[in-house]
Amino acid sequence: MITKLIADARKIVIKLGSNTLAKADGTINEPFMKEFAAQCVDLIREGKQLVLVSSGAQVAGLSTLDRWARKKDIHYRQALCAIGQVELMDYWRNAFGDHRVHIGQLLLTREDFQDDQRTLNMRNTIFTLVDEGVIPIINENDSVSYEEIKIGDNDNLSALTAVLWSADLLILLSDIDGVYDKNPKEFPDARLIEEVSDIEELKNSITIGATNSFGTGGIATKLEAAVKVTSYGTPMLLVNGSRSRCIEALRTGTQTGTVFLARD
Ligand code: ADP
Protein backbone atom coordinates (compact mmCIF):
# COMPACT_ATOMS: atom_id res chain seq x y z
CA MET A 1 0.00 0.00 0.00
CA ILE A 2 2.70 2.53 1.03
CA THR A 3 4.87 1.60 -1.95
CA LYS A 4 1.97 2.15 -4.33
CA LEU A 5 0.88 5.44 -2.74
CA ILE A 6 4.37 6.89 -3.17
CA ALA A 7 4.74 5.47 -6.69
CA ASP A 8 1.40 6.96 -7.77
CA ALA A 9 1.92 10.39 -6.20
CA ARG A 10 3.51 13.15 -8.26
CA LYS A 11 3.21 16.02 -5.78
CA ILE A 12 4.40 15.09 -2.30
CA VAL A 13 4.61 17.18 0.89
CA ILE A 14 7.02 15.79 3.48
CA LYS A 15 7.02 17.09 7.06
CA LEU A 16 10.03 16.53 9.30
CA GLY A 17 9.45 16.74 13.04
CA SER A 18 11.99 18.15 15.50
CA ASN A 19 12.63 14.70 16.92
CA THR A 20 13.59 13.47 13.46
CA LEU A 21 15.99 16.37 12.92
CA ALA A 22 17.60 16.22 16.38
CA LYS A 23 20.15 13.73 17.65
CA ALA A 24 19.76 12.21 21.11
CA ASP A 25 21.97 14.98 22.56
CA GLY A 26 19.58 17.64 21.22
CA THR A 27 21.79 18.96 18.43
CA ILE A 28 20.91 18.96 14.73
CA ASN A 29 21.42 15.64 12.97
CA GLU A 30 23.33 16.81 9.91
CA PRO A 31 24.15 13.31 8.54
CA PHE A 32 20.42 12.55 8.55
CA MET A 33 19.66 15.76 6.62
CA LYS A 34 22.25 14.86 3.98
CA GLU A 35 20.93 11.32 3.63
CA PHE A 36 17.37 12.60 3.44
CA ALA A 37 18.23 15.26 0.83
CA ALA A 38 19.87 12.59 -1.37
CA GLN A 39 16.65 10.55 -1.29
CA CYS A 40 14.57 13.66 -2.12
CA VAL A 41 16.81 14.32 -5.11
CA ASP A 42 16.23 10.72 -6.30
CA LEU A 43 12.47 11.36 -6.15
CA ILE A 44 12.81 14.61 -8.10
CA ARG A 45 15.01 13.02 -10.76
CA GLU A 46 12.18 10.48 -11.27
CA GLY A 47 9.74 13.29 -12.03
CA LYS A 48 8.19 13.87 -8.61
CA GLN A 49 7.67 17.30 -7.08
CA LEU A 50 8.41 17.99 -3.44
CA VAL A 51 7.55 20.55 -0.80
CA LEU A 52 9.15 20.18 2.64
CA VAL A 53 7.78 21.40 5.95
CA SER A 54 10.69 21.47 8.35
CA SER A 55 10.61 21.99 12.09
CA GLY A 56 13.87 22.34 13.98
CA ALA A 57 14.52 26.10 14.29
CA GLN A 58 14.76 25.84 18.09
CA VAL A 59 16.93 22.74 17.89
CA ALA A 60 19.23 24.43 15.38
CA GLY A 61 19.25 27.59 17.53
CA LEU A 62 20.24 25.65 20.64
CA SER A 63 22.91 23.80 18.67
CA THR A 64 24.43 27.22 18.02
CA LEU A 65 23.70 29.00 21.31
CA ASP A 66 23.38 26.34 23.97
CA ARG A 67 23.67 28.91 26.75
CA TRP A 68 20.08 29.94 25.89
CA ALA A 69 18.78 26.46 26.67
CA ARG A 70 17.42 27.48 30.06
CA LYS A 71 15.87 30.75 28.92
CA LYS A 72 12.13 30.16 28.90
CA ASP A 73 11.08 33.78 28.38
CA ILE A 74 8.95 34.15 25.22
CA HIS A 75 11.18 36.92 23.80
CA TYR A 76 14.23 34.67 24.11
CA ARG A 77 12.30 31.73 22.59
CA GLN A 78 11.29 33.85 19.59
CA ALA A 79 14.78 35.33 19.27
CA LEU A 80 16.19 31.81 19.41
CA CYS A 81 13.91 30.80 16.50
CA ALA A 82 15.19 33.80 14.50
CA ILE A 83 18.75 32.58 15.02
CA GLY A 84 17.90 28.91 14.58
CA GLN A 85 15.89 29.37 11.39
CA VAL A 86 18.97 30.73 9.62
CA GLU A 87 21.04 27.80 10.91
CA LEU A 88 18.36 25.31 9.91
CA MET A 89 18.18 26.64 6.37
CA ASP A 90 21.97 26.69 6.18
CA TYR A 91 21.98 22.95 6.96
CA TRP A 92 19.31 22.35 4.30
CA ARG A 93 21.13 24.52 1.76
CA ASN A 94 24.30 22.48 2.29
CA ALA A 95 22.43 19.17 2.13
CA PHE A 96 20.69 20.01 -1.17
CA GLY A 97 23.63 22.04 -2.47
CA ASP A 98 25.63 18.78 -2.65
CA HIS A 99 23.21 17.85 -5.48
CA ARG A 100 23.01 21.32 -7.04
CA VAL A 101 19.38 21.62 -6.02
CA HIS A 102 18.21 25.03 -4.77
CA ILE A 103 15.89 25.60 -1.84
CA GLY A 104 13.49 28.46 -1.06
CA GLN A 105 12.14 29.43 2.35
CA LEU A 106 8.57 30.34 3.28
CA LEU A 107 7.77 31.33 6.87
CA LEU A 108 4.03 31.32 7.48
CA THR A 109 1.47 31.99 10.18
CA ARG A 110 -2.17 31.01 10.46
CA GLU A 111 -3.26 34.47 9.29
CA ASP A 112 -1.54 33.81 5.95
CA PHE A 113 -3.94 30.94 5.35
CA GLN A 114 -6.97 33.04 6.34
CA ASP A 115 -6.33 35.89 3.91
CA ASP A 116 -7.32 35.20 0.29
CA GLN A 117 -4.68 37.46 -1.25
CA ARG A 118 -1.85 36.03 0.87
CA THR A 119 -3.05 32.49 0.20
CA LEU A 120 -3.00 33.14 -3.52
CA ASN A 121 0.50 34.62 -3.31
CA MET A 122 1.80 31.68 -1.25
CA ARG A 123 0.27 29.25 -3.71
CA ASN A 124 1.81 31.03 -6.68
CA THR A 125 5.21 31.18 -4.99
CA ILE A 126 5.14 27.45 -4.18
CA PHE A 127 4.05 26.55 -7.73
CA THR A 128 6.75 28.79 -9.26
CA LEU A 129 9.52 27.40 -7.05
CA VAL A 130 8.52 23.80 -7.75
CA ASP A 131 8.12 24.39 -11.49
CA GLU A 132 11.66 25.77 -11.54
CA GLY A 133 13.04 22.72 -9.75
CA VAL A 134 13.54 24.51 -6.43
CA ILE A 135 12.43 22.82 -3.19
CA PRO A 136 10.25 25.06 -1.01
CA ILE A 137 10.99 24.55 2.68
CA ILE A 138 8.20 25.83 4.89
CA ASN A 139 8.10 26.53 8.63
CA GLU A 140 5.87 28.47 10.95
CA ASN A 141 7.14 32.02 11.46
CA ASP A 142 7.80 31.46 15.16
CA SER A 143 9.61 34.76 15.66
CA VAL A 144 6.49 36.80 14.93
CA SER A 145 3.77 34.31 15.82
CA TYR A 146 2.00 34.47 19.18
CA GLU A 147 -0.55 32.16 20.72
CA GLU A 148 -3.63 33.73 19.11
CA ILE A 149 -2.33 33.64 15.54
CA LYS A 150 -0.33 30.45 15.72
CA ILE A 151 -0.97 27.29 13.77
CA GLY A 152 1.04 25.89 16.66
CA ASP A 153 2.45 22.73 15.14
CA ASN A 154 3.91 21.69 11.83
CA ASP A 155 1.60 18.69 11.47
CA ASN A 156 -1.30 21.08 10.84
CA LEU A 157 0.93 23.45 8.83
CA SER A 158 1.95 20.59 6.53
CA ALA A 159 -1.70 19.59 6.08
CA LEU A 160 -2.66 23.19 5.19
CA THR A 161 0.27 23.25 2.76
CA ALA A 162 -0.78 19.95 1.15
CA VAL A 163 -4.31 21.30 0.63
CA LEU A 164 -3.03 24.67 -0.66
CA TRP A 165 -0.70 23.02 -3.19
CA SER A 166 -3.21 20.24 -4.05
CA ALA A 167 -0.65 17.57 -3.15
CA ASP A 168 -1.21 13.92 -3.99
CA LEU A 169 0.33 12.69 -0.75
CA LEU A 170 1.39 14.02 2.67
CA ILE A 171 4.15 12.17 4.52
CA LEU A 172 4.82 12.95 8.19
CA LEU A 173 8.23 11.79 9.39
CA SER A 174 8.27 11.18 13.12
CA ASP A 175 10.32 9.19 15.62
CA ILE A 176 7.78 6.38 15.86
CA ASP A 177 6.70 3.87 13.20
CA GLY A 178 3.12 5.17 13.08
CA VAL A 179 0.04 5.37 15.26
CA TYR A 180 -0.19 2.73 17.97
CA ASP A 181 -3.10 1.69 20.15
CA LYS A 182 -1.13 3.26 23.05
CA ASN A 183 2.13 5.22 23.43
CA PRO A 184 4.91 2.86 22.27
CA LYS A 185 7.45 4.82 24.36
CA GLU A 186 5.60 3.79 27.53
CA PHE A 187 4.18 0.43 26.50
CA PRO A 188 6.47 -2.04 24.70
CA ASP A 189 3.46 -4.18 23.80
CA ALA A 190 1.75 -1.30 21.90
CA ARG A 191 0.37 -2.42 18.54
CA LEU A 192 1.02 -0.52 15.30
CA ILE A 193 -2.09 0.41 13.31
CA GLU A 194 -1.17 0.13 9.65
CA GLU A 195 -4.30 1.41 7.94
CA VAL A 196 -6.89 3.98 9.00
CA SER A 197 -10.03 4.73 7.05
CA ASP A 198 -12.12 6.23 9.87
CA ILE A 199 -10.17 8.70 12.02
CA GLU A 200 -13.01 9.29 14.50
CA GLU A 201 -13.23 5.57 15.13
CA LEU A 202 -9.45 5.41 15.56
CA LYS A 203 -9.53 8.23 18.15
CA ASN A 204 -12.03 6.27 20.20
CA SER A 205 -9.99 3.10 20.11
CA ILE A 206 -6.48 4.33 21.04
CA THR A 207 -4.80 6.04 23.98
CA ILE A 208 -2.87 9.18 23.12
CA GLY A 209 0.18 9.59 25.34
CA ALA A 210 2.66 12.41 25.89
CA THR A 211 4.99 13.84 23.24
CA ASN A 212 8.78 13.88 23.31
CA SER A 213 10.97 16.72 24.55
CA PHE A 214 11.13 18.54 21.21
CA GLY A 215 7.76 17.47 19.87
CA THR A 216 5.09 20.13 19.92
CA GLY A 217 2.10 18.33 18.55
CA GLY A 218 2.16 14.67 19.38
CA ILE A 219 -0.30 12.20 17.95
CA ALA A 220 -3.32 14.47 18.45
CA THR A 221 -2.09 17.06 15.91
CA LYS A 222 -1.07 14.29 13.50
CA LEU A 223 -4.66 13.08 13.57
CA GLU A 224 -5.89 16.65 13.00
CA ALA A 225 -3.60 16.83 9.96
CA ALA A 226 -4.97 13.51 8.72
CA VAL A 227 -8.57 14.77 9.04
CA LYS A 228 -7.69 17.90 7.03
CA VAL A 229 -5.95 16.22 4.11
CA THR A 230 -8.02 13.06 3.80
CA SER A 231 -11.22 15.09 3.59
CA TYR A 232 -9.66 16.82 0.56
CA GLY A 233 -8.94 13.45 -1.02
CA THR A 234 -5.23 13.36 -0.14
CA PRO A 235 -3.89 10.32 1.71
CA MET A 236 -1.38 10.72 4.55
CA LEU A 237 1.45 8.52 5.81
CA LEU A 238 2.82 8.66 9.35
CA VAL A 239 6.19 6.93 9.32
CA ASN A 240 9.49 6.73 11.16
CA GLY A 241 12.04 9.18 9.76
CA SER A 242 14.83 7.85 11.93
CA ARG A 243 15.06 4.52 10.16
CA SER A 244 17.95 4.22 7.75
CA ARG A 245 17.19 5.72 4.31
CA CYS A 246 13.51 5.84 5.25
CA ILE A 247 12.09 7.20 1.99
CA GLU A 248 13.85 4.49 0.00
CA ALA A 249 12.74 1.84 2.50
CA LEU A 250 9.13 2.99 2.20
CA ARG A 251 9.34 2.91 -1.58
CA THR A 252 10.75 -0.60 -1.65
CA GLY A 253 8.32 -1.90 0.94
CA THR A 254 10.89 -2.69 3.64
CA GLN A 255 9.43 -0.15 6.07
CA THR A 256 5.88 0.04 7.35
CA GLY A 257 3.90 2.88 8.90
CA THR A 258 0.34 4.11 9.25
CA VAL A 259 -1.62 4.92 6.09
CA PHE A 260 -4.58 7.29 6.41
CA LEU A 261 -6.75 6.60 3.42
CA ALA A 262 -8.26 9.52 1.51
CA ARG A 263 -12.01 10.02 1.80
CA ASP A 264 -13.82 10.00 -1.54
P1 ADP B 1 7.29 14.84 16.04
O1 ADP B 1 6.32 15.95 15.78
O2 ADP B 1 8.70 15.27 16.18
O3 ADP B 1 7.10 13.75 15.07
P2 ADP B 1 5.89 14.30 18.56
O4 ADP B 1 6.62 14.16 19.85
O5 ADP B 1 5.07 15.52 18.34
O6 ADP B 1 6.97 14.13 17.43
O7 ADP B 1 4.90 13.04 18.35
C1 ADP B 1 5.33 11.71 18.34
C2 ADP B 1 5.29 11.08 19.73
O8 ADP B 1 3.96 10.85 20.16
C3 ADP B 1 5.91 9.69 19.77
O9 ADP B 1 7.30 9.73 19.95
C4 ADP B 1 5.21 8.99 20.95
O10 ADP B 1 5.99 8.92 22.10
C5 ADP B 1 4.01 9.87 21.22
N1 ADP B 1 2.75 9.11 21.28
C6 ADP B 1 1.81 9.25 22.23
N2 ADP B 1 0.77 8.42 22.01
C7 ADP B 1 1.03 7.70 20.91
C8 ADP B 1 0.32 6.68 20.17
N3 ADP B 1 -0.90 6.22 20.54
N4 ADP B 1 0.90 6.19 19.04
C9 ADP B 1 2.12 6.66 18.63
N5 ADP B 1 2.83 7.62 19.30
C10 ADP B 1 2.31 8.15 20.43
Side-chain angles (χ1 to χ4, degrees), residues 15 17-20 155 173-176 178-185 206-212 215-219 222:
K15 179 253 169 177
S18 302
N19 294 308
T20 306
D155 298 319
L173 299 186
S174 186
D175 66 340
I176 26 115
V179 180
Y180 288 77
D181 58 349
K182 48 195 172 187
N183 190 353
K185 297 276 171 68
I206 65 168
T207 314
I208 297 177
T211 64
N212 294 299
T216 43
I219 287 299
K222 291 172 181 44

CSV table of all heavy atoms in Angstrom, one decimal, residues 15 17-20 155 173-176 178-185 206-212 215-219 222, ligand 1:
chain,number,residue,atom,x,y,z
A,15,LYS,N,6.8,16.3,5.8
A,15,LYS,CA,7.0,17.1,7.1
A,15,LYS,C,8.0,16.4,8.0
A,15,LYS,O,7.9,15.2,8.2
A,15,LYS,CB,5.7,17.3,7.8
A,15,LYS,CG,5.8,18.1,9.1
A,15,LYS,CD,5.7,17.2,10.3
A,15,LYS,CE,6.0,17.9,11.6
A,15,LYS,NZ,5.8,17.0,12.8
A,17,GLY,N,9.6,16.3,11.7
A,17,GLY,CA,9.5,16.7,13.0
A,17,GLY,C,10.8,17.0,13.7
A,17,GLY,O,11.8,16.6,13.2
A,18,SER,N,10.8,17.8,14.8
A,18,SER,CA,12.0,18.1,15.5
A,18,SER,C,12.7,16.9,16.0
A,18,SER,O,14.0,16.9,16.0
A,18,SER,CB,11.7,19.0,16.7
A,18,SER,OG,11.0,20.2,16.3
A,19,ASN,N,12.0,15.9,16.4
A,19,ASN,CA,12.6,14.7,16.9
A,19,ASN,C,13.4,14.0,15.8
A,19,ASN,O,14.3,13.2,16.1
A,19,ASN,CB,11.6,13.8,17.6
A,19,ASN,CG,11.0,14.4,18.8
A,19,ASN,OD1,11.7,14.8,19.7
A,19,ASN,ND2,9.7,14.5,18.9
A,20,THR,N,12.9,14.1,14.6
A,20,THR,CA,13.6,13.5,13.5
A,20,THR,C,14.9,14.2,13.1
A,20,THR,O,15.9,13.6,12.7
A,20,THR,CB,12.7,13.5,12.2
A,20,THR,OG1,11.4,12.9,12.6
A,20,THR,CG2,13.2,12.7,11.1
A,155,ASP,N,2.5,19.7,12.0
A,155,ASP,CA,1.6,18.7,11.5
A,155,ASP,C,0.5,19.4,10.7
A,155,ASP,O,0.2,19.1,9.6
A,155,ASP,CB,1.0,17.8,12.6
A,155,ASP,CG,2.1,17.0,13.3
A,155,ASP,OD1,3.1,16.6,12.6
A,155,ASP,OD2,2.1,16.9,14.5
A,173,LEU,N,7.1,12.6,8.8
A,173,LEU,CA,8.2,11.8,9.4
A,173,LEU,C,8.3,12.1,10.9
A,173,LEU,O,8.4,13.2,11.3
A,173,LEU,CB,9.6,12.2,8.7
A,173,LEU,CG,9.7,11.9,7.2
A,173,LEU,CD1,11.2,12.2,6.8
A,173,LEU,CD2,9.4,10.5,6.9
A,174,SER,N,8.2,11.0,11.7
A,174,SER,CA,8.3,11.2,13.1
A,174,SER,C,9.3,10.2,13.7
A,174,SER,O,10.1,9.7,12.9
A,174,SER,CB,6.9,10.9,13.7
A,174,SER,OG,6.9,11.2,15.1
A,175,ASP,N,9.3,10.1,15.0
A,175,ASP,CA,10.3,9.2,15.6
A,175,ASP,C,9.7,7.9,16.1
A,175,ASP,O,10.2,7.1,16.8
A,175,ASP,CB,11.0,9.9,16.8
A,175,ASP,CG,10.1,10.1,18.0
A,175,ASP,OD1,8.8,10.2,17.7
A,175,ASP,OD2,10.5,10.3,19.1
A,176,ILE,N,8.5,7.7,15.6
A,176,ILE,CA,7.8,6.4,15.9
A,176,ILE,C,7.3,5.8,14.5
A,176,ILE,O,7.2,6.6,13.5
A,176,ILE,CB,6.5,6.5,16.8
A,176,ILE,CG1,6.0,7.9,16.7
A,176,ILE,CG2,6.8,6.1,18.2
A,176,ILE,CD1,4.7,8.0,16.1
A,178,GLY,N,4.5,4.8,13.5
A,178,GLY,CA,3.1,5.2,13.1
A,178,GLY,C,2.3,5.4,14.3
A,178,GLY,O,2.8,5.6,15.4
A,179,VAL,N,0.9,5.3,14.1
A,179,VAL,CA,0.0,5.4,15.3
A,179,VAL,C,-0.1,4.0,15.9
A,179,VAL,O,-0.3,3.0,15.2
A,179,VAL,CB,-1.4,5.8,14.8
A,179,VAL,CG1,-2.3,5.9,16.0
A,179,VAL,CG2,-1.3,7.2,14.1
A,180,TYR,N,0.0,4.0,17.2
A,180,TYR,CA,-0.2,2.7,18.0
A,180,TYR,C,-1.5,2.8,18.8
A,180,TYR,O,-2.0,3.9,19.0
A,180,TYR,CB,1.0,2.5,18.9
A,180,TYR,CG,2.3,2.1,18.2
A,180,TYR,CD1,3.1,3.1,17.5
A,180,TYR,CD2,2.7,0.8,18.2
A,180,TYR,CE1,4.2,2.7,16.9
A,180,TYR,CE2,3.9,0.4,17.6
A,180,TYR,CZ,4.7,1.4,17.0
A,180,TYR,OH,5.8,1.0,16.3
A,181,ASP,N,-1.9,1.7,19.3
A,181,ASP,CA,-3.1,1.7,20.1
A,181,ASP,C,-2.8,2.4,21.5
A,181,ASP,O,-3.7,2.8,22.2
A,181,ASP,CB,-3.7,0.3,20.3
A,181,ASP,CG,-2.7,-0.7,20.9
A,181,ASP,OD1,-1.5,-0.3,21.0
A,181,ASP,OD2,-3.1,-1.8,21.3
A,182,LYS,N,-1.5,2.5,21.9
A,182,LYS,CA,-1.1,3.3,23.1
A,182,LYS,C,0.3,3.7,22.8
A,182,LYS,O,1.0,3.2,21.9
A,182,LYS,CB,-1.3,2.5,24.3
A,182,LYS,CG,-0.7,1.1,24.3
A,182,LYS,CD,-1.2,0.2,25.4
A,182,LYS,CE,-0.7,-1.2,25.2
A,182,LYS,NZ,-1.2,-2.2,26.1
A,183,ASN,N,0.8,4.6,23.7
A,183,ASN,CA,2.1,5.2,23.4
A,183,ASN,C,3.2,4.1,23.4
A,183,ASN,O,3.5,3.5,24.5
A,183,ASN,CB,2.4,6.3,24.5
A,183,ASN,CG,3.7,7.1,24.2
A,183,ASN,OD1,4.4,6.8,23.3
A,183,ASN,ND2,3.9,8.1,25.0
A,184,PRO,N,3.9,3.9,22.3
A,184,PRO,CA,4.9,2.9,22.3
A,184,PRO,C,6.1,3.2,23.1
A,184,PRO,O,6.9,2.3,23.5
A,184,PRO,CB,5.3,2.8,20.8
A,184,PRO,CG,4.9,4.1,20.3
A,184,PRO,CD,3.8,4.6,21.0
A,185,LYS,N,6.3,4.5,23.5
A,185,LYS,CA,7.4,4.8,24.4
A,185,LYS,C,7.2,4.4,25.8
A,185,LYS,O,8.1,4.2,26.6
A,185,LYS,CB,7.7,6.3,24.3
A,185,LYS,CG,8.1,6.9,22.9
A,185,LYS,CD,9.5,6.7,22.7
A,185,LYS,CE,9.9,7.0,21.3
A,185,LYS,NZ,9.8,8.4,20.9
A,206,ILE,N,-7.9,4.3,20.6
A,206,ILE,CA,-6.5,4.3,21.0
A,206,ILE,C,-6.3,5.3,22.2
A,206,ILE,O,-7.2,6.1,22.5
A,206,ILE,CB,-5.5,4.8,19.9
A,206,ILE,CG1,-5.8,6.3,19.5
A,206,ILE,CG2,-5.6,3.9,18.7
A,206,ILE,CD1,-4.7,6.9,18.6
A,207,THR,N,-5.2,5.1,22.9
A,207,THR,CA,-4.8,6.0,24.0
A,207,THR,C,-3.7,6.9,23.5
A,207,THR,O,-2.7,6.4,23.0
A,207,THR,CB,-4.3,5.3,25.2
A,207,THR,OG1,-5.2,4.2,25.4
A,207,THR,CG2,-4.2,6.1,26.4
A,208,ILE,N,-3.9,8.2,23.6
A,208,ILE,CA,-2.9,9.2,23.1
A,208,ILE,C,-2.0,9.6,24.3
A,208,ILE,O,-2.5,10.2,25.3
A,208,ILE,CB,-3.5,10.4,22.4
A,208,ILE,CG1,-4.3,9.9,21.2
A,208,ILE,CG2,-2.5,11.4,22.1
A,208,ILE,CD1,-5.1,11.0,20.5
A,209,GLY,N,-0.7,9.3,24.2
A,209,GLY,CA,0.2,9.6,25.3
A,209,GLY,C,0.9,10.9,25.1
A,209,GLY,O,0.6,11.7,24.2
A,210,ALA,N,1.9,11.1,26.0
A,210,ALA,CA,2.7,12.4,25.9
A,210,ALA,C,3.6,12.5,24.7
A,210,ALA,O,3.9,11.4,24.1
A,210,ALA,CB,3.5,12.6,27.2
A,211,THR,N,4.0,13.7,24.3
A,211,THR,CA,5.0,13.8,23.2
A,211,THR,C,6.4,13.8,23.8
A,211,THR,O,6.6,13.7,25.0
A,211,THR,CB,4.8,15.2,22.6
A,211,THR,OG1,5.2,16.2,23.5
A,211,THR,CG2,3.4,15.4,22.1
A,212,ASN,N,7.4,13.9,22.9
A,212,ASN,CA,8.8,13.9,23.3
A,212,ASN,C,9.2,15.3,23.6
A,212,ASN,O,8.5,16.3,23.4
A,212,ASN,CB,9.6,13.3,22.2
A,212,ASN,CG,9.3,11.9,22.0
A,212,ASN,OD1,9.5,11.1,22.8
A,212,ASN,ND2,8.8,11.6,20.8
A,215,GLY,N,9.0,17.5,20.6
A,215,GLY,CA,7.8,17.5,19.9
A,215,GLY,C,6.8,18.5,20.4
A,215,GLY,O,6.8,18.8,21.6
A,216,THR,N,6.1,19.1,19.5
A,216,THR,CA,5.1,20.1,19.9
A,216,THR,C,3.7,19.6,19.8
A,216,THR,O,2.8,20.0,20.6
A,216,THR,CB,5.2,21.4,19.1
A,216,THR,OG1,5.3,21.1,17.7
A,216,THR,CG2,6.3,22.3,19.5
A,217,GLY,N,3.5,18.7,18.8
A,217,GLY,CA,2.1,18.3,18.5
A,217,GLY,C,1.7,17.0,19.2
A,217,GLY,O,0.7,16.9,19.8
A,218,GLY,N,2.5,16.0,19.0
A,218,GLY,CA,2.2,14.7,19.4
A,218,GLY,C,1.2,14.0,18.4
A,218,GLY,O,1.0,14.6,17.3
A,219,ILE,N,0.6,12.9,18.9
A,219,ILE,CA,-0.3,12.2,17.9
A,219,ILE,C,-1.6,13.0,17.7
A,219,ILE,O,-2.1,12.9,16.6
A,219,ILE,CB,-0.6,10.8,18.5
A,219,ILE,CG1,0.6,9.9,18.4
A,219,ILE,CG2,-1.8,10.1,17.9
A,219,ILE,CD1,1.1,9.7,17.0
A,222,LYS,N,-1.3,15.1,14.7
A,222,LYS,CA,-1.1,14.3,13.5
A,222,LYS,C,-2.4,13.8,13.0
A,222,LYS,O,-2.7,13.7,11.8
A,222,LYS,CB,-0.1,13.1,13.8
A,222,LYS,CG,1.3,13.7,14.0
A,222,LYS,CD,2.3,12.6,14.4
A,222,LYS,CE,3.7,13.2,14.6
A,222,LYS,NZ,3.8,14.5,15.4
B,1,ADP,P1,7.3,14.8,16.0
B,1,ADP,O1,6.3,16.0,15.8
B,1,ADP,O2,8.7,15.3,16.2
B,1,ADP,O3,7.1,13.7,15.1
B,1,ADP,P2,5.9,14.3,18.6
B,1,ADP,O4,6.6,14.2,19.8
B,1,ADP,O5,5.1,15.5,18.3
B,1,ADP,O6,7.0,14.1,17.4
B,1,ADP,O7,4.9,13.0,18.4
B,1,ADP,C1,5.3,11.7,18.3
B,1,ADP,C2,5.3,11.1,19.7
B,1,ADP,O8,4.0,10.9,20.2
B,1,ADP,C3,5.9,9.7,19.8
B,1,ADP,O9,7.3,9.7,19.9
B,1,ADP,C4,5.2,9.0,20.9
B,1,ADP,O10,6.0,8.9,22.1
B,1,ADP,C5,4.0,9.9,21.2
B,1,ADP,N1,2.8,9.1,21.3
B,1,ADP,C6,1.8,9.3,22.2
B,1,ADP,N2,0.8,8.4,22.0
B,1,ADP,C7,1.0,7.7,20.9
B,1,ADP,C8,0.3,6.7,20.2
B,1,ADP,N3,-0.9,6.2,20.5
B,1,ADP,N4,0.9,6.2,19.0
B,1,ADP,C9,2.1,6.7,18.6
B,1,ADP,N5,2.8,7.6,19.3
B,1,ADP,C10,2.3,8.1,20.4
